[in-house]
Amino acid sequence: MQVPRTTAATTTAAFAAVRRDTRAWQLQVWVSFALAVFLCGTGLAWLPGQSLDRAFMVMGYVFCLSAVFVLAKFVRDKEDAVGSDTPLWGLVVWGGFAVAMGLTAWGLLRMAIDPTYKAFLGVAWLFLVSSAFTLAKMLRDRHEADRVDPLAGRRMPVAERDDGRDAA
């Protein structure tokens, strides 16, 4: 009986199914999200006008942030056919995201503040939404990879190795 040989190529191919993000990418995602939160917080803290406007915008930003994470999970679960979500739940998720984005945009546009300040808040808000989607994807990818190979989290991703050896 012939025993199959294990080479670096076959071991690497076995781990290729478990794809992991590099530490540099994970750092960039977290830094981008933190920067977006900081910019939004700074813009809202220094928002001229009434306290009611500031409270509305804070609630809008938080509503958008939570809607992003719910939508990202819903879309990923639907793609993977993991859950048995009903069409009504899909309507709730997509509707919640649309309402959050729409009401926040409406509140931002109707405020009586300088257009430059509106532009800053708008760009910071869109940066927050896009970085939250990226963060949700990165966290979900890491979770799925850890489920498939729990010990892989301790190994260095292939892209970060320079010696060509596998991480096992």
Side-chain angles (χ1 to χ4, degrees):
M1 181 172 151
Q2 186 177 6
V3 177
R5 273 188 344 175
T6 302
T7 64
T10 58
T11 305
T12 303
F15 288 111
V18 180
R19 191 177 160 123
R20 293 201 173 264
D21 293 325
T22 63
R23 289 186 195 135
W25 172 250
Q26 292 177 23
L27 178 66
Q28 179 191 349
V29 170
W30 278 109
V31 167
S32 294
F33 182 72
L35 183 60
V37 169
F38 173 76
L39 291 172
C40 287
T42 301
L44 293 173
W46 294 98
L47 183 64
Q50 301 176 1
S51 296
L52 185 59
D53 287 337
R54 186 177 299 114
F56 180 86
M57 291 308 297
V58 168
M59 286 188 316
Y61 280 29
V62 171
F63 186 18
C64 285
L65 197 56
S66 64
V68 161
F69 284 108
V70 171
L71 180 60
K73 181 180 182 338
F74 173 78
V75 169
R76 189 76 174 257
D77 286 350
K78 189 115 177 137
E79 179 183 301
D80 294 343
V82 170
S84 57
D85 293 328
T86 63
L88 187 56
W89 176 243
L91 181 67
V92 167
V93 170
W94 281 102
F97 179 72
V99 167
M101 296 295 285
L103 285 176
T104 304
W106 172 77
L108 184 60
L109 292 174
R110 74 147 196 73
M111 279 195 295
I113 59 174
D114 184 63
T116 305
Y117 207 85
K118 281 185 187 183
F120 175 82
L121 286 175
V123 169
W125 168 51
L126 294 176
F127 182 32
L128 179 68
V129 168
S130 66
S131 65
F133 272 119
T134 307
L135 178 63
K137 181 188 179 324
M138 185 212 49
L139 291 174
R140 182 70 181 260
D141 288 347
R142 184 187 328 167
H143 170 74
E144 288 177 355
D146 286 345
R147 262 191 6 212
V148 172
D149 186 8
L151 299 178
R154 298 184 190 141
R155 290 193 288 265
M156 189 180 302
V158 175
E160 289 185 8
R161 293 187 301 247
D162 57 357
D163 62 359
R165 294 181 299 130
D166 72 329

